Amino acid sequence: TPSQTVMPTPTPSETAPAEKQTVNLAVLKGPSGVGAAKLLADSDAGETANDYAYSILADNTEIVAGLSSGSLDIAAVASNVAANLYNKTNGGIQIAAVSGLGVLYILENGNTVQSMADLKGQTLYATGQGANPEYVLNYLLTENGVDPAEVDIQWKTADEVSALMVSGEARLCMMPVPAATAIQMSNPDVREALDLSAEWDGLNNGSHLTMTCIAVRTAFAQEHPEAVENFLRAVLDGSLYDEEELEGGDKRTVLHFHPALAPVEYVKGDPTAASELVAQYGITPKAKIAELAIPKCSLVCITGKVDMADTIQGYFEVLSAANPDALGGSIPDDGFYFE
């Protein structure tokens, strides 16, 4: 288990609080869940500064409902969905971290698609309608001279698209990893035709795909700033509660920081061990899928108002120019970023 990982002796930083704050946390199956698996395991082991009552959900709509109703406090969500929520709730949510870059791929049962332009006139099965995948696809098609209306885009659930591709009934799909990885493992005839991050970068538009972020309810952050700070500290630094023996034989519980055990760094640094956790929590069906997908999950953890804005603003500008509705009508102002 992660708590058994041999690490250098850390320096005690603070004593444990008398009572932990409960945080209602949600992540999505897929890349955001992959990046959070270590945090979930630490929480279950009682080794986090907060208590996390967590949910692993299937799509953004469930997270939107939870953040809107107040049943969720912190959640991983598509970045454009967070922008929509910010605009539509008058600042009711903020983002605390940018957590994922581009993870979308065009897969093909065949060898006919070599560029975005080759999708014209094709039937493409996809997941992510109303979120980043739809807007990214439409933008890339348009920039490559293809009207999205010229592609028969069939929006399905991830499970439906996967079943169609694995059976060979569908020839083309757009899917994120690790679901794309699972399809290729199940059907070796399926190839990676296009990496949409590379396609985006090839446009040289001054931005990068910035697809996933960590959202926090503004009211929760105002009421429990320490809980949000503890979350970010755990995500960035990796933290464990340990017992320390004092002179005279007394003991105290202290919070130690282990940078190599920070969730994102742990997952990226040891995909084999991390993949077991990912499968354990049902984020992917099998550990092998997670292990192969982790290098393509584009996991990051970028915090701080300035750094987050620098990372995501160019992406929002591109989306807004293509379709302002993608962001709920406008690019969020500085209040969008939790400091």
Side-chain angles (χ1 to χ4, degrees), residues 164-195:
L164 289 166
M165 290 296 292
V166 170
S167 69
E169 185 176 343
R171 191 169 62 81
L172 286 165
C173 78
M174 177 183 70
M175 287 286 275
V177 291
T181 309
I183 291 171
Q184 290 184 277
M185 283 181 61
S186 299
N187 185 345
D189 292 332
V190 175
R191 71 180 185 92
E192 182 183 298
L194 299 172
D195 174 352

Side-chain angles (χ1 to χ4, degrees), residues 6-77:
V6 178
M7 296 294 297
T9 302
T11 302
S13 57
E14 61 184 66
T15 57
E19 186 174 340
K20 297 183 181 183
Q21 174 66 43
T22 298
V23 177
N24 295 307
L25 171 71
V27 299
L28 291 165
K29 291 184 178 182
S32 76
V34 168
K38 174 69 170 53
L39 179 65
L40 304 185
D42 286 349
S43 178
D44 285 343
E47 295 171 339
T48 50
N50 298 323
D51 276 330
Y52 293 100
Y54 59 81
S55 304
I56 301 167
L57 303 177
D59 61 50
N60 285 287
T61 56
E62 295 175 273
I63 288 182
V64 168
L67 289 171
S68 299
S69 69
S71 63
L72 292 177
D73 303 317
I74 298 176
V77 68

Side-chain angles (χ1 to χ4, degrees), residues 119-122 124 134-153 155:
L119 293 173
K120 183 177 180 178
Q122 306 274 15
L124 178 72
E134 179 178 10
Y135 298 113
V136 168
L137 177 61
N138 287 347
Y139 174 71
L140 289 176
L141 287 171
T142 301
E143 290 298 299
N144 283 275
V146 180
D147 185 335
E150 297 177 297
V151 182
D152 181 13
I153 304 169
W155 296 103

